[in-house]
Amino acid sequence: MSSKQPDLTALPRQIVTGKARLAGVLGWPVSHSRSPRLHNYWLARYGIDGVYVPLPVKPEQFAQAVKGLQAAGFRGANVTIPHKEAAYALADELDHSARRAGAVNTFIFEENGSIRGLSTDGDGFVASLESAGHAPTGKALLLGAGGAARSVAAALQDRGVQVAVSNRTQDRAEALAQALSGLDVVPWDMWEEQLGSYDLLVNTTSLGMEGGPDPMFRPSLQHAAPHLVVADIVYVPRLTPLLAEAEQKGLKTVGGLGMLLHQARLGFREWYGHDPEVDAELEAYVRASL
């Protein structure tokens, strides 16, 4: 995709009237979220009367805030750290992806007053792979055993991929394997040497993230098969240490921004009634804020 800054003057002005459709993102903090930039870009691009706002909500006020948004006429909301498990418990109805992920990142406020919970992270990740020309097949190894790992692992399993997980804390990896039947566990000190038997490697941790616990995370990929696809859900920086190492070895790579963009489509479609397009212009606009 092109990294050229899009010409925003070519976009229509965003429409906001008394009939505007409302949605937002709940998090604590939430200032880092690029979701408002992403959704408001789509709203302007498609001339939709609506707005999407950041909603900083403390954990102890989460349930009250969600009910307040619903009462105020919001169509729904995204949910980010640290509220995804609380959102799972609050939803009246859970779709298949949310039950598999054990978390909710998208609320749909139904007209009958109920709250439907979805998890779009895993499907967004798979869509980002597919858009890059790397439909997942064969065997995948995931680094990490947190909520993102579970979402990605479940989505890959649902598409017939054999998934293994490796985590620095073995107990967490084993707990994830118990939650998702058929998931294998690879000890952290052994995954590098076993890499040759996998078709896809995914970093679902914050390792290598700008400001994260280990921004210089650079594992050895010397045992990787030539066809290995290396993906990272981190999108700041664009070229993480893991992806840089993979590119140096001539391996195919998929960055984390695509997952962010693709996971947003389902919520937007539900709230605003339009299926938005993920393209180079959108990626350039969101990337310009990173």
Side-chain angles (χ1 to χ4, degrees), residues 154-170:
L156 291 173
Q157 282 187 328
D158 288 345
R159 288 159 176 82
V161 177
Q162 184 178 343
V163 182
V165 62
S166 185
N167 191 65
R168 285 182 171 181
T169 305
Q170 182 81 2

Side-chain angles (χ1 to χ4, degrees), residues 125 128-129 141 143 152 200-210 214-215 217-219 229-246 252-260:
F125 173 76
S128 73
L129 286 181
L141 175 62
L143 305 182
V152 171
L200 173 66
L201 173 67
V202 188
N203 176 38
T204 71
T205 75
S206 59
L207 292 171
M209 181 175 69
E210 187 175 292
D214 189 358
F217 170 64
R218 190 183 295 273
V229 176
V230 180
D232 202 323
I233 70 169
V234 171
Y235 57 87
V236 181
R238 181 190 67 81
L239 191 64
T240 64
L242 175 63
L243 296 182
E245 182 76 4
K252 299 179 179 67
T253 62
V254 179
L257 184 57
M259 175 178 170
L260 171 71

